[in-house]
Amino acid sequence: MFLTISTTGTPERPATDLGFLLHKHPEKAQAFSTSYGTAHVLYPEADAERCTAGLLLEVDPVALVRRGKGKGRGGAPDAALAQYVNDRPYAASSLLAVALSTVFSSAMRGVCNARPERAAQPLPLCIEVPALPARGGPDLVRRLFEPLGWAVTVEPVALDSEFPQWGDSRYVRLVLASQTLTLAGALRHLYVLLPVLDDAKHYWVAPDEVDKLLRAGEGWLPGHPEQNLITSRYLSRRWSLTRQAREALELVRLAEADDSAVEEIDNAVEAETQTEEKPTPLAVQRRDAILAALRESGASRVLDLGCGQGQLVQALLKDPRFTEIVGVDVSVRALTIASRRLKLDRMGERQASRVKLFQGSLAYTDNRLKGYDAAVLSEVIEHLDLPRLPALEYAVFGAARPRTVLVTTPNVEYNVRWETLPAGHVRHGDHRFEWTREEFRAWAEAVAERHGYGVEFAPVGPDDPEVGPPTQMAVFETRTVNEKEAKAA
Ligand code: SAH
């Protein structure tokens, strides 16, 4: 198992700085023992212009089998011989990734005491992996590395060069080149993506692998177009871990998008306030409609899902019939603003015991949401990508299952009535979709049907005879047992 890392230099910045960055002296070959054999670091070339470090892992197949006994899923564990005779000694797999992180751990973290300023800077890099097992082929290799700023050369390796008619093996020769990455960034890409391409982890995937993935993926994995494939393969398709990782990555992505999203929400609220006829802004009418529907439902313990900056939570607090109010949002920034608005830190104990805010994503089931009388999704569903909507549907109607659910969303038909809205535009940038009354009704009725709720619809704002109201609201109530029985009868 072998890979090389090369860089070029200038008189001011000699290429041999690579030795400092890797914490391995170019003048000598060094050996390190790892759990699966001996890792050698050597420099085939090292001068001011060009410097190449090679990492060679001499796998001890016996140690590998012994360590993996009864737990791994590497290679073909059933056949006794295959345990010893396999590609492990030659191909750059997850073992090489582990060796990389053992031997170059400081470099991977971007730590370099001798040249601290160099560690943070991009440098010309060329990485070559002569035999990389690549499940998914050259195409996937490109899809994984190119979005990260690598120029990728990938050549299939023939099964046997003497017999080209046998076709290609599952190995490729990979050459990566970049001028824009730091060494630490580059190593972290390899650490994650070598095992992803290998797709056969040699060791048991433990829960802390999620943390390792998130740490190594910091700054590049959230938002990578193949993020889902990467997490699922890296975690050997262990679904619960994959889910944890995806949820964490989504929180990171949303937190990054956070500032702009919250600003957009601010602007949208303001825009709505301005375009509405003075007396009652639409946002206020919506809140009033929601409060009225909650009172009618008799709810006292209420979830505000996607609570944003906490306006509804604040209104609910003013009515003592709501004894427990929980605001949930994925955006930390929105929650911070909400907690400031509510003056949570200065609130008397009695009030404070009625209200809770926490961060969470509605695209995942969450035990903290169970057992409430009612849940409100006010102007939230349109912020999710349509393919994520079934996940929200399941989390709310399938798992949390409050007795009442109120959902509001814009009625896109009404958009022609907004004077300031250019034709064909949604009401603000973060809306992933806006529905007609018909579309909303079809969705809501299907949801109700699937989860045993009844649903009714109510307009919010002026109900235009042609295009309907600006906001549409669905009121879901769980069907009582008797009704269900009556229906069944
Ligand atoms: N309910 C408020 C805010 C609506 S804006 C109101 O009616 O004014 C939409 C809110 O949904 C934002 O605060 C956004 O952060 C939140 N949101 C978007 N996707 C989410 C998700 N997957 N999980 C939880 N909250 C989400």
Side-chain angles (χ1 to χ4, degrees), residues 250 265 304 306-308 329-331 334 360-363 378-380 383-384:
E250 174 160 304
I265 294 163
D304 184 8
C307 63
D329 204 286
V330 77
S331 154
S361 168
L362 300 169
S378 163
E379 308 295 284
V380 172
H383 289 264
L384 272 86

Side-chain angles (χ1 to χ4, degrees), residues 61 82 117 138 182 188 234 247 273 367 369 373 385 433 472:
E117 73 295 343
T182 62
R188 291 194 285 118
Y234 183 89
E247 183 167 359
T273 317
N367 284 332
L369 305 184
D373 300 329
D385 291 325
F433 61 90
Q472 34 188 352

Side-chain angles (χ1 to χ4, degrees), residues 330-481:
V330 77
S331 154
V332 177
R333 174 131 187 275
L335 290 171
T336 310
I337 297 171
S339 113
R340 239 180 270 143
R341 171 193 304 275
L342 300 169
K343 305 193 174 70
L344 275 188
D345 50 341
R346 276 169 284 157
M347 204 177 255
E349 220 171 277
R350 273 258 300 291
Q351 282 291 74
S353 69
R354 288 173 60 210
V355 61
K356 232 181 335 194
L357 297 179
F358 67 75
Q359 191 199 18
S361 168
L362 300 169
Y364 297 91
T365 56
D366 189 333
N367 284 332
R368 295 174 298 183
L369 305 184
K370 285 191 176 151
Y372 285 84
D373 300 329
V376 179
L377 286 154
S378 163
E379 308 295 284
V380 172
I381 58 170
E382 65 276 9
H383 289 264
L384 272 86
D385 291 325
L386 267 177
R388 304 293 284 155
L389 211 50
L392 173 140
E393 172 191 331
Y394 181 73
V396 176
F397 294 89
R401 285 199 74 75
R403 208 175 59 228
T404 303
V405 183
L406 307 180
V407 179
T408 77
T409 194
N411 163 21
V412 69
E413 297 166 77
Y414 192 88
N415 287 3
V416 296
R417 296 284 184 268
W418 297 114
E419 274 156 31
T420 50
L421 198 69
H425 277 63
V426 294
R427 294 184 199 174
H428 76 79
D430 196 46
H431 285 186
R432 309 303 164 87
F433 61 90
E434 286 178 352
W435 275 335
T436 62
R437 284 167 291 175
E438 193 47 49
E439 287 167 320
F440 182 50
R441 182 179 280 272
W443 173 79
E445 282 173 351
V447 168
E449 182 60 36
R450 279 193 286 269
H451 299 281
Y453 283 76
V455 61
E456 280 171 18
F457 300 87
V460 179
D463 197 356
D464 185 287
E466 238 174 275
V467 296
T471 297
Q472 34 188 352
M473 177 161 77
V475 181
F476 298 81
E477 298 275 351
T478 40
R479 290 202 200 99
T480 63
V481 177

Side-chain angles (χ1 to χ4, degrees), residues 105-430:
S105 68
S106 305
M108 233 174 91
R109 281 181 283 123
V111 176
C112 179
N113 296 332
R115 299 277 187 283
E117 73 295 343
R118 290 284 268 137
Q121 288 162 355
L123 71 172
L125 280 173
C126 180
I127 292 176
E128 182 174 349
V129 191
L132 171 71
R135 190 179 296 270
D139 177 53
L140 181 62
V141 176
R142 275 190 214 99
R143 281 181 3 240
L144 292 177
F145 284 100
E146 278 173 354
L148 300 171
W150 291 104
V152 178
T153 311
V154 52
E155 294 159 3
V157 174
L159 205 53
D160 189 321
S161 52
E162 305 260 312
F163 299 97
Q165 67 272 27
W166 289 2
D168 294 331
S169 66
R170 69 181 191 98
Y171 301 94
V172 297
R173 170 175 170 267
L174 173 67
V175 181
L176 300 169
S178 163
Q179 305 275 340
T180 55
L181 296 167
T182 62
L183 181 64
L187 292 173
R188 291 194 285 118
H189 295 165
L190 293 173
Y191 174 72
V192 174
L193 297 178
L194 292 183
V196 163
L197 284 163
D198 184 13
D199 199 21
K201 279 222 166 161
H202 58 278
Y203 53 84
W204 181 245
V205 175
D208 74 336
E209 286 290 307
V210 174
D211 291 332
K212 287 188 193 158
L213 174 64
L214 294 174
R215 244 180 285 130
E218 203 186 308
W220 64 270
L221 185 52
H224 190 295
E226 297 294 343
Q227 181 191 303
N228 284 346
L229 177 137
I230 295 170
T231 43
S232 121
R233 280 200 185 183
Y234 183 89
L235 298 167
S236 296
R237 301 194 172 81
R238 301 262 320 262
W239 175 239
S240 65
L241 298 182
T242 304
R243 190 187 121 138
Q244 263 179 42
R246 286 191 189 158
E247 183 167 359
L249 287 166
E250 174 160 304
L251 292 179
V252 173
R253 186 182 63 76
L254 287 162
E256 278 167 3
D258 209 23
D259 287 4
S260 56
V262 174
E263 264 152 38
E264 276 178 37
I265 294 163
D266 284 346
N267 295 340
V269 170
E270 214 169 278
E272 273 176 4
T273 317
Q274 283 166 5
T275 44
E276 267 309 293
E277 288 111 82
K278 280 283 141 20
T280 330
L282 181 58
V284 176
Q285 293 187 46
R286 194 158 48 221
R287 216 138 49 229
D288 289 346
I290 291 168
L291 285 166
L294 285 174
R295 287 181 189 126
E296 196 175 325
S297 78
S300 51
R301 304 177 60 241
V302 179
L303 295 166
D304 184 8
L305 304 177
C307 63
Q309 304 184 11
Q311 290 94 335
L312 178 64
V313 173
Q314 189 173 38
L316 289 165
L317 265 172
K318 292 197 179 119
D319 185 338
R321 85 178 70 201
F322 301 114
T323 55
E324 196 180 331
I325 304 148
V326 177
V328 180
D329 204 286
V330 77
S331 154
V332 177
R333 174 131 187 275
L335 290 171
T336 310
I337 297 171
S339 113
R340 239 180 270 143
R341 171 193 304 275
L342 300 169
K343 305 193 174 70
L344 275 188
D345 50 341
R346 276 169 284 157
M347 204 177 255
E349 220 171 277
R350 273 258 300 291
Q351 282 291 74
S353 69
R354 288 173 60 210
V355 61
K356 232 181 335 194
L357 297 179
F358 67 75
Q359 191 199 18
S361 168
L362 300 169
Y364 297 91
T365 56
D366 189 333
N367 284 332
R368 295 174 298 183
L369 305 184
K370 285 191 176 151
Y372 285 84
D373 300 329
V376 179
L377 286 154
S378 163
E379 308 295 284
V380 172
I381 58 170
E382 65 276 9
H383 289 264
L384 272 86
D385 291 325
L386 267 177
R388 304 293 284 155
L389 211 50
L392 173 140
E393 172 191 331
Y394 181 73
V396 176
F397 294 89
R401 285 199 74 75
R403 208 175 59 228
T404 303
V405 183
L406 307 180
V407 179
T408 77
T409 194
N411 163 21
V412 69
E413 297 166 77
Y414 192 88
N415 287 3
V416 296
R417 296 284 184 268
W418 297 114
E419 274 156 31
T420 50
L421 198 69
H425 277 63
V426 294
R427 294 184 199 174
H428 76 79
D430 196 46

